[in-house]
Amino acid sequence: MELVSVEAVEAAAARIAGVAVRTPLLPCPWAAPDRPLWLKPESLQPIGAFKIRGAHNAIANLTDEQRARGVVAYSSGNHAQAVAYSAKIFGIRAWIVVPVDTPKVKVEATRAHGAEVVLSAVGERESTAAEIVERTGAALIPPFDHPDVIAGQGTIGLEIAADLHADVVLVPVSGGGLISGVATAIKAKSPGTQVWAVEPELAADTAASLAAGRLTEWSVAERNRTIADGLRSQPSALTFAHEQALVDGIVTVTEQQIRDTVGVLARRARLVVEPSGAVATAAYLHRAAELPGGTTVAVVSGGNMDPGLTRELIG
């Protein structure tokens, strides 16, 4: 299977310039002195998550004729907002399919960008999106299983490599678009840097797949147990091929470790981070014995959290 190239990631960086924020690396003086920690706060993006990078790159790479028919996306929330935001920039119609259990804050934010939100039953978002594509002729912008989406997410890796020589980069993993793109860029620009995936224990299908050497399916019910609602997808054949070729290792974190880290990031880094965005830092804090040492970057993938959960986890 053909993997995304670093040249595709560099082209994506040019397309998304001025739309996605070039987020800084934030030093963490409270971290272990022998393992310096830097945060890549994608929670500071206009839609509160890294997804704007891949969504905008994919839409920008459509032809004018394709964009005129509109776009369709399915998502648990952050990709939904990203596609809606980018569609608004291009002045095109967007249909966004989200499962009925999507946090209300993400649904409302998606509607606020002018997209038509279509609620689906849990586990049926892909089929619902396919029906809309068939009916309208709009272009499907999937959340991770697309070379342009992977290339857009990879711009995070380009920025990390340009800003710091890290020993290890920790990346949340679910569908795998983020880590596929980041690993592509890091391995090309900083070959000595290790890229490690981090996954909730309750949705550890990627860890199981990498251990087995083949895609291993977990049920929707199993994956939906985790509080990290943005990490409930499974890798595709395309993203799994990237993971097998480019990712150095994977660790999992518990629900309590995720919850605790949301609070740590609020108090010490002054970042409001959703549970999915906290898992990489949770691995740094709680799985150090399983990880390489040295200068570490943790990707904080998003900060879109339901107000009720914010009160529960941060106070």
Side-chain angles (χ1 to χ4, degrees), residues 13-299:
R15 290 191 195 100
I16 70 173
V19 175
V21 173
R22 192 193 189 289
T23 52
L25 285 179
L26 303 179
C28 299
W30 44 269
D34 60 332
R35 295 172 55 241
L37 175 65
W38 300 73
L39 303 177
K40 182 69 167 168
E42 289 295 295
S43 52
L44 301 181
Q45 291 293 347
I47 56 92
F50 74 96
K51 292 283 191 177
I52 185 61
R53 297 174 182 264
H56 193 78
N57 184 52
I59 295 174
N61 211 23
L62 295 173
T63 66
D64 291 341
E65 181 181 354
Q66 288 173 316
R67 280 196 295 268
R69 293 194 291 268
V71 291
V72 178
Y74 55 85
S75 167
S76 61
N78 286 334
H79 180 65
Q81 293 179 66
V83 172
Y85 183 86
S86 184
K88 180 173 66 173
I89 290 173
F90 281 105
I92 61 176
R93 192 171 181 183
W95 292 265
I96 312 295
V97 181
V98 301
V100 293
D101 60 351
T102 299
K104 185 178 179 182
V105 63
K106 296 182 179 181
V107 174
E108 292 177 347
T110 302
R111 285 199 178 107
H113 294 309
E116 180 178 335
V117 175
V118 180
L119 297 177
S120 75
V122 174
E124 296 183 7
R125 60 185 189 175
E126 291 92 340
S127 59
T128 302
E131 292 170 1
I132 298 172
V133 169
E134 178 68 23
R135 174 168 52 83
T136 64
L140 179 66
I141 309 296
F144 52 86
D145 189 27
H146 194 290
D148 289 340
V149 173
I150 291 172
Q153 320 305 24
T155 58
I156 294 172
L158 289 182
E159 294 171 10
I160 292 171
D163 290 351
L164 181 72
H165 178 70
D167 295 298
V168 59
V169 177
L170 304 176
V171 186
V173 67
S174 178
L178 174 59
I179 199 165
S180 294
V182 169
T184 295
I186 291 292
K187 293 302 181 181
K189 298 297 184 179
S190 182
T193 300
Q194 293 198 31
V195 178
W196 280 63
V198 186
E199 191 171 40
E201 281 188 357
L202 294 186
D205 50 292
T206 300
S209 296
L210 288 170
R214 58 178 175 78
L215 285 171
T216 302
E217 185 172 348
W218 284 34
S219 71
V220 172
E222 286 178 302
R223 289 179 275 122
N224 280 5
R225 294 174 300 166
T226 180
I227 192 174
D229 63 273
L231 301 180
R232 293 172 176 169
S233 296
Q234 297 189 114
S236 66
L238 177 60
T239 57
F240 188 60
H242 284 79
E243 291 165 356
Q244 286 186 301
L246 301 170
V247 174
D248 295 286
I250 185 167
V251 293
T252 61
V253 289
T254 69
E255 295 297 290
Q256 191 58 53
Q257 288 165 352
I258 296 169
R259 288 171 172 269
D260 290 346
T261 303
V262 170
V264 169
L265 288 169
R267 294 187 299 273
R268 294 188 170 183
R270 294 164 294 282
L271 292 173
V272 175
V273 177
E274 63 186 283
S276 302
V279 298
T281 310
Y284 172 90
L285 293 174
H286 299 285
R287 290 289 191 258
E290 301 169 49
L291 293 167
T295 300
T296 301
V297 174
V299 176

